[in-house]
Amino acid sequence: MKKIRNLTKAFFVNSSREFAVPFWTIIFPTLFFVLFVGIFENIGTSENLDLKVGIYYEEPLQGVIKTTFDDVFSPSDSNDIPFQVVEYDSFEKGLQNLKNSEISAFVVFPENFNLLNLKFFIETTEVPDIKVYYTNDSASMYAKDIFEVFIDEINIMMYTRGEEVKLTVNEEIIGIKQSEPYRYRDFLFPAIILMSVLTVAVFNMPFDFSYYVEKGVFKKLNSTPIKGNEYFFSFLLSHLILLLISLIVLYIEAYLFDVSSYIYKPGFIAYSGFSILVILSVGLLLSSFYKNMGSAEAISQVIYQATIFLSGFYFEVTNTPWFIRWYVYFNPATYLVDGLRKLMTGNVLVPVNIIVPVIWMMASILIFSMSYKGMVYREK
């Protein structure tokens, strides 16, 4: 045990001595998360969102109110509203379409809302509120906010036509009220976890193995009391410690950024651990293939970039051209990041989220175990 502890410490100190290792494993993922959340979380605009607002009138609008709403919501070249208005003749149908995400928000003009016309003359007239229903989906909340901006515009228009008459809006969220909206930071966080693991698996471990092969370290080990399995366990443990530090930093950052509380649930943590085992197994597989630092650097860069951008880490990749889409489905990281996101939204995993990564893990361990002894004691 003491021998393994000393070896692990030596490996950890040796790999952490160069600034590049802790930077790419710990610092870069945290900076990447901050930059991408800051840049992309609020980038959505009405031009790239297909927003539909359903409207239901419990009784037809009349008078000044009807004229004002027609001026604001009727489509024209001078009145480019950032959403499509869909009228319903049934309250139940509109509410059901909202729950099915067929519309982004549902607005109900209540019975007796036409009393607002009298409020121009009789200020004490009681007018029921407009009711706005929405869900915890980001597009739905965005549509609700936009509709409120247009209500403010209508208030201004009515003010210019007489006495101040202010519309009031009553909001109600449909579905699970306690659910958190799925923001870009929630979408990105699982990808950042896997990015950190990939850095260790694709760069740190293969590079260290290749370096030891080039320097003849394995040959020298053959003449020492150190056994191959002790060396392997210490080597792997040192990289796991570095990865654990990275994950602790990422979780601290997630807490500060108020990432979804699902990341603290046992299911998410357990599947994260499973993802680490799968990716590190693939890292061991890659380590057994490289014979020098030159090939390790070149091939690792290609594998890392392809895995990062063709796994759905940052954007949808299922619509990529057919000649590169094969890598999306071949890549175990595709299923791992999808599984983590399912758990973050309270959904259950599907069999493919387990089966494909397990196949990769078993195949990688098998191939590595067959080539490890020859690699470690290969004569230079």
Side-chain angles (χ1 to χ4, degrees):
M1 188 65 186
K2 183 177 180 181
K3 192 186 301 183
I4 292 177
R5 185 171 62 249
N6 291 336
L7 267 176
T8 302
K9 180 180 178 181
F11 283 132
F12 179 78
V13 172
N14 183 62
S15 61
S16 303
R17 185 176 291 121
E18 296 185 13
F19 178 71
V21 173
F23 175 80
W24 291 109
T25 308
I26 301 174
I27 301 174
F28 180 74
T30 58
L31 292 177
F32 193 94
F33 183 73
V34 172
L35 290 174
F36 263 53
V37 169
I39 294 172
F40 294 110
E41 182 161 82
N42 299 312
I43 201 170
T45 63
S46 59
E47 287 77 13
N48 54 38
L49 287 176
D50 182 20
L51 300 178
K52 292 182 181 179
V53 174
I55 293 181
Y56 171 65
Y57 301 98
E58 292 187 351
E59 65 179 24
L61 298 184
Q62 299 174 355
V64 176
I65 303 305
K66 176 176 174 56
T67 303
T68 303
F69 273 85
D70 286 345
D71 288 344
V72 173
F73 292 107
S74 60
S76 65
D77 294 337
S78 59
N79 185 23
D80 185 20
I81 60 175
F83 51 80
Q84 178 183 349
V85 176
V86 181
E87 287 194 24
Y88 288 91
D89 55 8
S90 166
F91 172 80
E92 290 75 15
K93 182 179 179 181
L95 200 62
Q96 187 61 44
N97 283 5
L98 174 64
K99 293 178 180 179
N100 294 337
S101 299
E102 296 179 28
I103 57 176
S104 303
F106 184 47
V107 180
V108 176
F109 289 86
E111 189 177 2
N112 297 325
F113 186 74
N114 285 312
L115 290 174
L116 190 63
N117 290 307
L118 295 178
K119 202 171 178 65
F120 284 103
F121 311 103
I122 306 175
E123 294 184 6
T124 56
T125 302
E126 294 292 331
V127 180
D129 296 345
I130 297 174
K131 191 84 169 182
V132 178
Y133 297 89
Y134 65 103
T135 68
N136 53 15
D137 179 74
S138 58
S140 181
M141 291 187 289
Y142 189 67
K144 182 262 298 183
D145 292 339
I146 292 178
F147 183 81
E148 290 180 352
V149 171
F150 277 82
I151 291 295
D152 291 338
E153 181 180 342
I154 292 173
N155 279 326
I156 294 173
M157 293 176 65
M158 290 193 300
Y159 179 75
T160 61
R161 296 181 180 184
E163 297 296 329
E164 181 176 7
V165 178
K166 187 172 180 62
L167 292 171
T168 55
V169 176
N170 186 7
E171 301 174 359
E172 182 173 332
I173 187 167
I174 299 301
I176 305 175
K177 293 188 176 183
Q178 301 302 320
S179 295
E180 302 175 12
Y182 194 50
R183 304 156 297 175
Y184 184 69
R185 64 189 66 185
D186 303 326
F187 176 83
L188 184 62
F189 187 72
I192 298 300
I193 289 179
L194 296 185
M195 174 196 283
S196 183
V197 182
L198 277 169
T199 301
V200 173
V202 178
F203 289 115
N204 296 2
M205 291 170 54
F207 283 13
D208 284 349
F209 262 118
S210 300
Y211 175 80
Y212 296 143
V213 169
E214 280 192 346
K215 298 301 180 181
V217 174
F218 295 142
K219 181 181 177 181
K220 297 173 183 176
L221 281 174
N222 208 13
S223 59
T224 68
I226 300 174
K227 298 179 181 179
N229 59 348
E230 293 174 335
Y231 169 86
F232 165 72
F233 184 78
S234 301
F235 175 84
L236 191 60
L237 186 59
S238 67
H239 288 283
L240 283 173
I241 292 173
L242 185 64
L243 181 58
L244 180 62
I245 295 173
S246 175
L247 294 179
I248 291 173
V249 173
L250 285 176
Y251 261 81
I252 292 173
E253 186 178 39
Y255 175 79
L256 296 176
F257 273 76
D258 191 31
V259 175
S260 170
S261 59
Y262 276 96
I263 65 174
Y264 307 107
K265 292 186 177 296
F268 184 89
I269 295 175
Y271 193 77
S272 297
F274 169 71
S275 302
I276 291 172
L277 293 177
V278 172
I279 295 178
L280 290 185
S281 299
V282 176
L284 291 174
L285 174 66
L286 295 175
S287 300
S288 65
F289 289 160
Y290 303 143
K291 294 181 174 60
N292 55 69
M293 287 290 292
S295 62
E297 291 176 0
I299 300 175
S300 291
Q301 280 290 350
V302 174
I303 293 175
Y304 183 80
Q305 298 300 332
T307 302
I308 288 290
F309 289 103
L310 293 177
S311 299
F313 274 29
Y314 314 130
F315 43 77
E316 178 62 42
V317 292
T318 55
N319 294 322
T320 52
W322 63 268
F323 59 88
I324 59 175
R325 195 185 308 166
W326 66 268
Y327 190 79
V328 174
Y329 298 110
F330 176 76
N331 185 359
T334 301
Y335 306 95
L336 294 173
V337 73
D338 177 68
L340 288 173
R341 285 173 179 153
K342 279 186 171 70
L343 294 172
M344 283 195 71
T345 54
N347 296 316
V348 296
L349 299 174
V350 296
V352 72
N353 294 126
I354 301 293
I355 294 173
V356 175
V358 165
I359 291 174
W360 267 97
M361 181 170 62
M362 294 177 63
S364 298
I365 293 175
L366 178 62
I367 296 173
F368 177 78
S369 62
M370 294 172 60
S371 60
Y372 173 69
K373 186 174 182 179
M375 177 188 65
V376 169
Y377 296 110
R378 184 185 298 125
E379 295 290 335
K380 300 298 292 179

PDB file of all heavy atoms in Angstrom, residues 340-355:
ATOM      1  N   LEU A 340     -26.826  12.420 -19.270  1.00  0.00           N
ATOM      2  CA  LEU A 340     -26.707  13.414 -18.205  1.00  0.00           C
ATOM      3  C   LEU A 340     -27.779  14.490 -18.348  1.00  0.00           C
ATOM      4  O   LEU A 340     -28.347  14.953 -17.349  1.00  0.00           O
ATOM      5  CB  LEU A 340     -25.310  14.045 -18.228  1.00  0.00           C
ATOM      6  CG  LEU A 340     -24.159  13.157 -17.752  1.00  0.00           C
ATOM      7  CD1 LEU A 340     -22.822  13.838 -17.994  1.00  0.00           C
ATOM      8  CD2 LEU A 340     -24.308  12.814 -16.267  1.00  0.00           C
ATOM      9  N   ARG A 341     -28.054  14.907 -19.582  1.00  0.00           N
ATOM     10  CA  ARG A 341     -29.084  15.935 -19.791  1.00  0.00           C
ATOM     11  C   ARG A 341     -30.477  15.395 -19.499  1.00  0.00           C
ATOM     12  O   ARG A 341     -31.339  16.145 -19.014  1.00  0.00           O
ATOM     13  CB  ARG A 341     -28.986  16.473 -21.217  1.00  0.00           C
ATOM     14  CG  ARG A 341     -27.800  17.408 -21.394  1.00  0.00           C
ATOM     15  CD  ARG A 341     -27.578  17.812 -22.821  1.00  0.00           C
ATOM     16  NE  ARG A 341     -26.438  18.733 -22.899  1.00  0.00           N
ATOM     17  CZ  ARG A 341     -25.662  18.881 -23.959  1.00  0.00           C
ATOM     18  NH1 ARG A 341     -25.905  18.156 -25.055  1.00  0.00           N
ATOM     19  NH2 ARG A 341     -24.662  19.721 -23.949  1.00  0.00           N
ATOM     20  N   LYS A 342     -30.704  14.140 -19.793  1.00  0.00           N
ATOM     21  CA  LYS A 342     -31.991  13.541 -19.433  1.00  0.00           C
ATOM     22  C   LYS A 342     -32.190  13.591 -17.918  1.00  0.00           C
ATOM     23  O   LYS A 342     -33.276  13.934 -17.432  1.00  0.00           O
ATOM     24  CB  LYS A 342     -32.053  12.087 -19.917  1.00  0.00           C
ATOM     25  CG  LYS A 342     -32.416  11.926 -21.391  1.00  0.00           C
ATOM     26  CD  LYS A 342     -32.591  10.449 -21.726  1.00  0.00           C
ATOM     27  CE  LYS A 342     -33.174  10.262 -23.135  1.00  0.00           C
ATOM     28  NZ  LYS A 342     -32.223  10.629 -24.183  1.00  0.00           N
ATOM     29  N   LEU A 343     -31.157  13.244 -17.172  1.00  0.00           N
ATOM     30  CA  LEU A 343     -31.256  13.253 -15.717  1.00  0.00           C
ATOM     31  C   LEU A 343     -31.418  14.668 -15.175  1.00  0.00           C
ATOM     32  O   LEU A 343     -32.073  14.869 -14.144  1.00  0.00           O
ATOM     33  CB  LEU A 343     -30.010  12.595 -15.112  1.00  0.00           C
ATOM     34  CG  LEU A 343     -29.855  11.093 -15.401  1.00  0.00           C
ATOM     35  CD1 LEU A 343     -28.500  10.599 -14.931  1.00  0.00           C
ATOM     36  CD2 LEU A 343     -30.972  10.296 -14.736  1.00  0.00           C
ATOM     37  N   MET A 344     -30.846  15.650 -15.859  1.00  0.00           N
ATOM     38  CA  MET A 344     -30.966  17.037 -15.400  1.00  0.00           C
ATOM     39  C   MET A 344     -32.366  17.591 -15.608  1.00  0.00           C
ATOM     40  O   MET A 344     -32.757  18.564 -14.943  1.00  0.00           O
ATOM     41  CB  MET A 344     -29.961  17.933 -16.129  1.00  0.00           C
ATOM     42  CG  MET A 344     -28.547  17.811 -15.609  1.00  0.00           C
ATOM     43  SD  MET A 344     -27.488  19.147 -16.177  1.00  0.00           S
ATOM     44  CE  MET A 344     -28.125  20.526 -15.244  1.00  0.00           C
ATOM     45  N   THR A 345     -33.124  17.016 -16.518  1.00  0.00           N
ATOM     46  CA  THR A 345     -34.492  17.476 -16.767  1.00  0.00           C
ATOM     47  C   THR A 345     -35.529  16.566 -16.114  1.00  0.00           C
ATOM     48  O   THR A 345     -36.719  16.686 -16.383  1.00  0.00           O
ATOM     49  CB  THR A 345     -34.759  17.557 -18.280  1.00  0.00           C
ATOM     50  OG1 THR A 345     -34.448  16.305 -18.900  1.00  0.00           O
ATOM     51  CG2 THR A 345     -33.905  18.644 -18.911  1.00  0.00           C
ATOM     52  N   GLY A 346     -35.059  15.650 -15.287  1.00  0.00           N
ATOM     53  CA  GLY A 346     -35.979  14.775 -14.578  1.00  0.00           C
ATOM     54  C   GLY A 346     -36.504  13.617 -15.387  1.00  0.00           C
ATOM     55  O   GLY A 346     -37.454  12.951 -14.965  1.00  0.00           O
ATOM     56  N   ASN A 347     -35.908  13.355 -16.545  1.00  0.00           N
ATOM     57  CA  ASN A 347     -36.340  12.232 -17.382  1.00  0.00           C
ATOM     58  C   ASN A 347     -35.542  10.982 -17.041  1.00  0.00           C
ATOM     59  O   ASN A 347     -34.507  11.051 -16.381  1.00  0.00           O
ATOM     60  CB  ASN A 347     -36.172  12.584 -18.865  1.00  0.00           C
ATOM     61  CG  ASN A 347     -37.064  13.737 -19.279  1.00  0.00           C
ATOM     62  OD1 ASN A 347     -38.233  13.775 -18.918  1.00  0.00           O
ATOM     63  ND2 ASN A 347     -36.516  14.685 -20.025  1.00  0.00           N
ATOM     64  N   VAL A 348     -36.009   9.855 -17.539  1.00  0.00           N
ATOM     65  CA  VAL A 348     -35.323   8.588 -17.272  1.00  0.00           C
ATOM     66  C   VAL A 348     -34.403   8.242 -18.443  1.00  0.00           C
ATOM     67  O   VAL A 348     -34.626   8.676 -19.578  1.00  0.00           O
ATOM     68  CB  VAL A 348     -36.334   7.445 -17.052  1.00  0.00           C
ATOM     69  CG1 VAL A 348     -37.176   7.706 -15.823  1.00  0.00           C
ATOM     70  CG2 VAL A 348     -37.234   7.279 -18.278  1.00  0.00           C
ATOM     71  N   LEU A 349     -33.372   7.479 -18.144  1.00  0.00           N
ATOM     72  CA  LEU A 349     -32.444   7.040 -19.187  1.00  0.00           C
ATOM     73  C   LEU A 349     -33.105   5.993 -20.066  1.00  0.00           C
ATOM     74  O   LEU A 349     -33.959   5.233 -19.615  1.00  0.00           O
ATOM     75  CB  LEU A 349     -31.182   6.462 -18.543  1.00  0.00           C
ATOM     76  CG  LEU A 349     -30.359   7.399 -17.662  1.00  0.00           C
ATOM     77  CD1 LEU A 349     -29.229   6.629 -16.996  1.00  0.00           C
ATOM     78  CD2 LEU A 349     -29.798   8.561 -18.473  1.00  0.00           C
ATOM     79  N   VAL A 350     -32.703   5.966 -21.315  1.00  0.00           N
ATOM     80  CA  VAL A 350     -33.155   4.918 -22.233  1.00  0.00           C
ATOM     81  C   VAL A 350     -32.036   3.888 -22.344  1.00  0.00           C
ATOM     82  O   VAL A 350     -30.870   4.181 -22.021  1.00  0.00           O
ATOM     83  CB  VAL A 350     -33.513   5.500 -23.613  1.00  0.00           C
ATOM     84  CG1 VAL A 350     -34.699   6.445 -23.490  1.00  0.00           C
ATOM     85  CG2 VAL A 350     -32.331   6.239 -24.227  1.00  0.00           C
ATOM     86  N   PRO A 351     -32.336   2.675 -22.777  1.00  0.00           N
ATOM     87  CA  PRO A 351     -31.310   1.612 -22.813  1.00  0.00           C
ATOM     88  C   PRO A 351     -30.037   2.002 -23.559  1.00  0.00           C
ATOM     89  O   PRO A 351     -28.938   1.607 -23.151  1.00  0.00           O
ATOM     90  CB  PRO A 351     -32.032   0.456 -23.500  1.00  0.00           C
ATOM     91  CG  PRO A 351     -33.463   0.651 -23.145  1.00  0.00           C
ATOM     92  CD  PRO A 351     -33.666   2.135 -23.129  1.00  0.00           C
ATOM     93  N   VAL A 352     -30.166   2.776 -24.636  1.00  0.00           N
ATOM     94  CA  VAL A 352     -28.983   3.108 -25.428  1.00  0.00           C
ATOM     95  C   VAL A 352     -27.995   3.954 -24.632  1.00  0.00           C
ATOM     96  O   VAL A 352     -26.787   3.931 -24.898  1.00  0.00           O
ATOM     97  CB  VAL A 352     -29.408   3.822 -26.734  1.00  0.00           C
ATOM     98  CG1 VAL A 352     -29.886   5.245 -26.450  1.00  0.00           C
ATOM     99  CG2 VAL A 352     -28.284   3.827 -27.757  1.00  0.00           C
ATOM    100  N   ASN A 353     -28.476   4.706 -23.629  1.00  0.00           N
ATOM    101  CA  ASN A 353     -27.579   5.512 -22.788  1.00  0.00           C
ATOM    102  C   ASN A 353     -26.680   4.646 -21.909  1.00  0.00           C
ATOM    103  O   ASN A 353     -25.673   5.135 -21.383  1.00  0.00           O
ATOM    104  CB  ASN A 353     -28.376   6.463 -21.894  1.00  0.00           C
ATOM    105  CG  ASN A 353     -29.132   7.526 -22.661  1.00  0.00           C
ATOM    106  OD1 ASN A 353     -30.331   7.681 -22.502  1.00  0.00           O
ATOM    107  ND2 ASN A 353     -28.423   8.266 -23.497  1.00  0.00           N
ATOM    108  N   ILE A 354     -27.044   3.387 -21.752  1.00  0.00           N
ATOM    109  CA  ILE A 354     -26.250   2.458 -20.954  1.00  0.00           C
ATOM    110  C   ILE A 354     -25.521   1.452 -21.844  1.00  0.00           C
ATOM    111  O   ILE A 354     -24.310   1.212 -21.679  1.00  0.00           O
ATOM    112  CB  ILE A 354     -27.144   1.696 -19.945  1.00  0.00           C
ATOM    113  CG1 ILE A 354     -27.866   2.670 -19.005  1.00  0.00           C
ATOM    114  CG2 ILE A 354     -26.317   0.691 -19.162  1.00  0.00           C
ATOM    115  CD1 ILE A 354     -26.954   3.420 -18.065  1.00  0.00           C
ATOM    116  N   ILE A 355     -26.231   0.893 -22.795  1.00  0.00           N
ATOM    117  CA  ILE A 355     -25.693  -0.232 -23.573  1.00  0.00           C
ATOM    118  C   ILE A 355     -24.475   0.170 -24.394  1.00  0.00           C
ATOM    119  O   ILE A 355     -23.423  -0.495 -24.342  1.00  0.00           O
ATOM    120  CB  ILE A 355     -26.789  -0.815 -24.486  1.00  0.00           C
ATOM    121  CG1 ILE A 355     -27.901  -1.439 -23.632  1.00  0.00           C
ATOM    122  CG2 ILE A 355     -26.193  -1.864 -25.425  1.00  0.00           C
ATOM    123  CD1 ILE A 355     -29.093  -1.896 -24.439  1.00  0.00           C
TER     124      ILE A 355
END
